[in-house]
Amino acid sequence: MSTLNTPQKQAVQHLGSPLLVLAGAGSGKTRVITEKIRWLIQSRAVSPADITAVTFTNKAAREMRDRLNQQLGGAEDSQGLTVSTFHSLGMKILRRHVSDLGLRGGFSIIDPRDVTTVLAETLRADPIHNKDLVDQVARRISSWKNLGLEVTDAAKSAEDPVSKAALAAYAEYQRYLQACNSVDLDDLIFLPARLFRQNPEICRRWQLEIRYLLVDEYQDTNAAQYQLVKHLAGEGKRLTVVGDDDQSIYAWRGAQPQNLNILNDDFPNLSIIKLEQNYRSSARILKAANHVIAHNPRNFDKALWSDLGLGDMIRIVPAENEKLEAERVVSSIMRHQFTHRSTHGDFAILYRGNHQARELEIKLREMRIPYKISGSSSFFDRGEIRDVMAYLRLLTNPSDDTAFLRVINTPRRGVGATSLEKLAGLANKRGLGMFNTLTDPELHLVLQSRQAQSLQGFAKEMSSLSELAEKSDPIDTVNAMLAAIEYERWLHKSCETADADRRWENVRLLIDWLEGANRHATEERTLPELVGELILNDALDQQKDEENTDQVNLMTLHAAKGLEFPHVYIVGVEENILPHKVSIEEGSDQEERRLFYVGITRAMRSLTLSYALNRKRFGDTMECEPSRFLQELPEDDVEWQDQKSASPAQVQDTGRAHLASIRALRNRG
């Protein structure tokens, strides 16, 4: 406690009324949460089991949990403490109240990538030629769930053609999920919020169980998450939320920064404490951030400050085109490394969209500078992982038709589309899932003998594996399943050897994760529990992101939130990129300005902003205009450079850096 500043200490020791901690970038908000939990346990004798801390990402939850274990002297002293994501908390509630929600035991979470497949079928639309419509409908239904809207509520706002199509699909989609005993990711928040709203007694029991509720990144909550928190908090006497309205950058996925304002209405005795001292960045960087964000309307005024010194001037660097922009950025990094002996990992290059990384990657590869791109495609997007996950979903929930349709011909079993249509008809007639219909006596009457035998053989195989899952170790069941379907053999039959080996290695990585999750669990896990956790946790990608390698960091501004780097480059600071063209067309640049603010406050010691005068778009070269945000920076702290403004010393240093790079290459050769 002695190392906390005064507002931090006040936030930690505040009790008796709901508390909003307005925590500016780099002000130690996560530390406040962990210190408050430690203080409650060690100084106020609160049982860890009475405390729940909620955040948004698995990585943030894990880091918070690890920090608490260190502070409390080990996992034993934090026994019973819940630190989780919103979705993990929602799953915990669903599992405990399966029957109250009209679900059956062993429900599964539908793969987010399969949602569009289901909706395409619901809309009777070709998922390829009507992809835009299907995607828009999926987003609209997700938006309604994030707003906590039932089908009848959504009908009131369904006026445009896409909304009307989505409304027609919404009810049928929900019936499909019910029939498959499945939920989607949005349901993990939507259904618990509905449960608490409709059943006050269940809500009261949870309020007694969660006596102290702490919520991180509150500005990123959507309406359903806000309702969930409101129900769990009750009168809110032991509620602490931490957030920063200036860093709300996720409106596109339903986040509502106004939830910070609504707290005042729902909790009239709300206390507010501001954390404004920044422990990350130089004063000049913070002054720039304050100047930029001041152009947004704000309900809570705060100004970041630092005692880390004035720092370097902020550089604004133009380039003739995107290729030369990449060249100038990479040359600047090389020059800095040569003159200051900085490491690759000290640098981050941030951009608005993933497509901007291409020229940077080419230049970094050309100069043999190691780099990593964060926020790329998930491990779970890979076909072989989706195959295995579909098998596991079907094994743990035989009513999961989406999983059944993915695996029935992987490997090939000679079951064509006509046979599947007939099977679906029989399943609808019986009111069963397609897999459960495979044992129906009438199967031979609707299908040809060969197809019926193939399907019944598959059913027998999966039923045997299901019995094995009930009495054996989950990992043994997974290995037995892969052996039974001869998946490795099928990979080698369906693709080149090198590709098959790579895909099989990914499958083994998946099994390694399952083994690790099972081994480190506090209590024995069942296969359904492991599968549910696996869908929620992109664990392998997280592990990859955390590797301690010395590489230049490339990522979008969205992906950079919560991170910090000694030296930051933000590229493409142009109109129609940052701010984005859509926000300009809609006449609102406030969230884009917050996104720029987030980028600025990632920098610790130096910040460089670049833009191109011309950029290729869809094959045509277009003239570009510097972003309006550049004019909002404080003039006295900005150094505008023209394309030929490098000093003789800088040119010499760049040349030396290039020579050093060439020598290093020769030595490695």
PDB file of all heavy atoms in Angstrom, residues 305-317:
ATOM      1  N   TRP A 305      -0.878  12.996 -16.602  1.00  0.00           N
ATOM      2  CA  TRP A 305       0.381  13.674 -16.364  1.00  0.00           C
ATOM      3  C   TRP A 305       1.422  12.651 -15.922  1.00  0.00           C
ATOM      4  O   TRP A 305       1.097  11.533 -15.532  1.00  0.00           O
ATOM      5  CB  TRP A 305       0.239  14.777 -15.310  1.00  0.00           C
ATOM      6  CG  TRP A 305      -0.193  14.289 -13.951  1.00  0.00           C
ATOM      7  CD1 TRP A 305      -1.464  14.058 -13.519  1.00  0.00           C
ATOM      8  CD2 TRP A 305       0.669  13.957 -12.853  1.00  0.00           C
ATOM      9  NE1 TRP A 305      -1.468  13.612 -12.223  1.00  0.00           N
ATOM     10  CE2 TRP A 305      -0.163  13.542 -11.784  1.00  0.00           C
ATOM     11  CE3 TRP A 305       2.049  13.977 -12.652  1.00  0.00           C
ATOM     12  CZ2 TRP A 305       0.341  13.143 -10.546  1.00  0.00           C
ATOM     13  CZ3 TRP A 305       2.555  13.589 -11.422  1.00  0.00           C
ATOM     14  CH2 TRP A 305       1.702  13.176 -10.384  1.00  0.00           C
ATOM     15  N   SER A 306       2.675  13.049 -16.026  1.00  0.00           N
ATOM     16  CA  SER A 306       3.768  12.123 -15.725  1.00  0.00           C
ATOM     17  C   SER A 306       4.938  12.887 -15.136  1.00  0.00           C
ATOM     18  O   SER A 306       5.141  14.067 -15.433  1.00  0.00           O
ATOM     19  CB  SER A 306       4.207  11.417 -17.014  1.00  0.00           C
ATOM     20  OG  SER A 306       5.419  10.729 -16.833  1.00  0.00           O
ATOM     21  N   ASP A 307       5.705  12.210 -14.293  1.00  0.00           N
ATOM     22  CA  ASP A 307       6.941  12.812 -13.774  1.00  0.00           C
ATOM     23  C   ASP A 307       8.164  12.119 -14.371  1.00  0.00           C
ATOM     24  O   ASP A 307       9.236  12.101 -13.774  1.00  0.00           O
ATOM     25  CB  ASP A 307       6.966  12.765 -12.241  1.00  0.00           C
ATOM     26  CG  ASP A 307       6.886  11.343 -11.691  1.00  0.00           C
ATOM     27  OD1 ASP A 307       6.931  10.387 -12.497  1.00  0.00           O
ATOM     28  OD2 ASP A 307       6.779  11.192 -10.456  1.00  0.00           O
ATOM     29  N   LEU A 308       7.991  11.533 -15.581  1.00  0.00           N
ATOM     30  CA  LEU A 308       9.081  10.808 -16.234  1.00  0.00           C
ATOM     31  C   LEU A 308       9.914  11.694 -17.156  1.00  0.00           C
ATOM     32  O   LEU A 308      10.740  11.192 -17.915  1.00  0.00           O
ATOM     33  CB  LEU A 308       8.517   9.624 -17.038  1.00  0.00           C
ATOM     34  CG  LEU A 308       7.772   8.567 -16.222  1.00  0.00           C
ATOM     35  CD1 LEU A 308       7.217   7.488 -17.148  1.00  0.00           C
ATOM     36  CD2 LEU A 308       8.689   7.951 -15.168  1.00  0.00           C
ATOM     37  N   GLY A 309       9.704  12.995 -17.102  1.00  0.00           N
ATOM     38  CA  GLY A 309      10.495  13.901 -17.937  1.00  0.00           C
ATOM     39  C   GLY A 309       9.761  14.277 -19.213  1.00  0.00           C
ATOM     40  O   GLY A 309       8.766  13.661 -19.605  1.00  0.00           O
ATOM     41  N   LEU A 310      10.269  15.334 -19.881  1.00  0.00           N
ATOM     42  CA  LEU A 310       9.604  15.867 -21.075  1.00  0.00           C
ATOM     43  C   LEU A 310       9.628  14.879 -22.228  1.00  0.00           C
ATOM     44  O   LEU A 310       8.622  14.654 -22.889  1.00  0.00           O
ATOM     45  CB  LEU A 310      10.270  17.188 -21.485  1.00  0.00           C
ATOM     46  CG  LEU A 310       9.597  17.962 -22.618  1.00  0.00           C
ATOM     47  CD1 LEU A 310       8.161  18.312 -22.250  1.00  0.00           C
ATOM     48  CD2 LEU A 310      10.392  19.223 -22.944  1.00  0.00           C
ATOM     49  N   GLY A 311      10.766  14.272 -22.505  1.00  0.00           N
ATOM     50  CA  GLY A 311      10.862  13.277 -23.569  1.00  0.00           C
ATOM     51  C   GLY A 311      11.125  13.869 -24.936  1.00  0.00           C
ATOM     52  O   GLY A 311      11.211  15.085 -25.119  1.00  0.00           O
ATOM     53  N   ASP A 312      11.247  12.991 -25.942  1.00  0.00           N
ATOM     54  CA  ASP A 312      11.568  13.393 -27.314  1.00  0.00           C
ATOM     55  C   ASP A 312      10.391  14.104 -27.975  1.00  0.00           C
ATOM     56  O   ASP A 312       9.232  13.912 -27.601  1.00  0.00           O
ATOM     57  CB  ASP A 312      11.918  12.165 -28.166  1.00  0.00           C
ATOM     58  CG  ASP A 312      13.176  11.461 -27.666  1.00  0.00           C
ATOM     59  OD1 ASP A 312      13.946  12.097 -26.921  1.00  0.00           O
ATOM     60  OD2 ASP A 312      13.368  10.282 -28.015  1.00  0.00           O
ATOM     61  N   MET A 313      10.740  14.911 -28.984  1.00  0.00           N
ATOM     62  CA  MET A 313       9.709  15.516 -29.817  1.00  0.00           C
ATOM     63  C   MET A 313       8.954  14.401 -30.554  1.00  0.00           C
ATOM     64  O   MET A 313       9.512  13.342 -30.874  1.00  0.00           O
ATOM     65  CB  MET A 313      10.333  16.462 -30.846  1.00  0.00           C
ATOM     66  CG  MET A 313      10.996  17.682 -30.239  1.00  0.00           C
ATOM     67  SD  MET A 313       9.785  18.950 -29.740  1.00  0.00           S
ATOM     68  CE  MET A 313       9.368  19.668 -31.332  1.00  0.00           C
ATOM     69  N   ILE A 314       7.689  14.659 -30.839  1.00  0.00           N
ATOM     70  CA  ILE A 314       6.894  13.714 -31.629  1.00  0.00           C
ATOM     71  C   ILE A 314       7.146  14.009 -33.101  1.00  0.00           C
ATOM     72  O   ILE A 314       6.996  15.150 -33.554  1.00  0.00           O
ATOM     73  CB  ILE A 314       5.397  13.850 -31.297  1.00  0.00           C
ATOM     74  CG1 ILE A 314       5.177  13.422 -29.846  1.00  0.00           C
ATOM     75  CG2 ILE A 314       4.536  13.020 -32.247  1.00  0.00           C
ATOM     76  CD1 ILE A 314       3.836  13.806 -29.295  1.00  0.00           C
ATOM     77  N   ARG A 315       7.542  12.983 -33.844  1.00  0.00           N
ATOM     78  CA  ARG A 315       7.905  13.173 -35.249  1.00  0.00           C
ATOM     79  C   ARG A 315       6.730  12.821 -36.155  1.00  0.00           C
ATOM     80  O   ARG A 315       6.064  11.805 -35.954  1.00  0.00           O
ATOM     81  CB  ARG A 315       9.107  12.316 -35.616  1.00  0.00           C
ATOM     82  CG  ARG A 315      10.392  12.689 -34.870  1.00  0.00           C
ATOM     83  CD  ARG A 315      11.583  11.994 -35.489  1.00  0.00           C
ATOM     84  NE  ARG A 315      11.368  10.565 -35.636  1.00  0.00           N
ATOM     85  CZ  ARG A 315      11.747   9.850 -36.697  1.00  0.00           C
ATOM     86  NH1 ARG A 315      12.358  10.437 -37.710  1.00  0.00           N
ATOM     87  NH2 ARG A 315      11.537   8.552 -36.742  1.00  0.00           N
ATOM     88  N   ILE A 316       6.508  13.653 -37.166  1.00  0.00           N
ATOM     89  CA  ILE A 316       5.516  13.366 -38.198  1.00  0.00           C
ATOM     90  C   ILE A 316       6.262  13.249 -39.525  1.00  0.00           C
ATOM     91  O   ILE A 316       6.928  14.197 -39.959  1.00  0.00           O
ATOM     92  CB  ILE A 316       4.439  14.458 -38.276  1.00  0.00           C
ATOM     93  CG1 ILE A 316       3.712  14.565 -36.935  1.00  0.00           C
ATOM     94  CG2 ILE A 316       3.450  14.152 -39.404  1.00  0.00           C
ATOM     95  CD1 ILE A 316       2.645  15.637 -36.893  1.00  0.00           C
ATOM     96  N   VAL A 317       6.168  12.083 -40.139  1.00  0.00           N
ATOM     97  CA  VAL A 317       7.001  11.760 -41.302  1.00  0.00           C
ATOM     98  C   VAL A 317       6.121  11.451 -42.515  1.00  0.00           C
ATOM     99  O   VAL A 317       5.381  10.462 -42.506  1.00  0.00           O
ATOM    100  CB  VAL A 317       7.902  10.545 -41.006  1.00  0.00           C
ATOM    101  CG1 VAL A 317       8.782  10.229 -42.210  1.00  0.00           C
ATOM    102  CG2 VAL A 317       8.755  10.800 -39.769  1.00  0.00           C
TER     103      VAL A 317
END
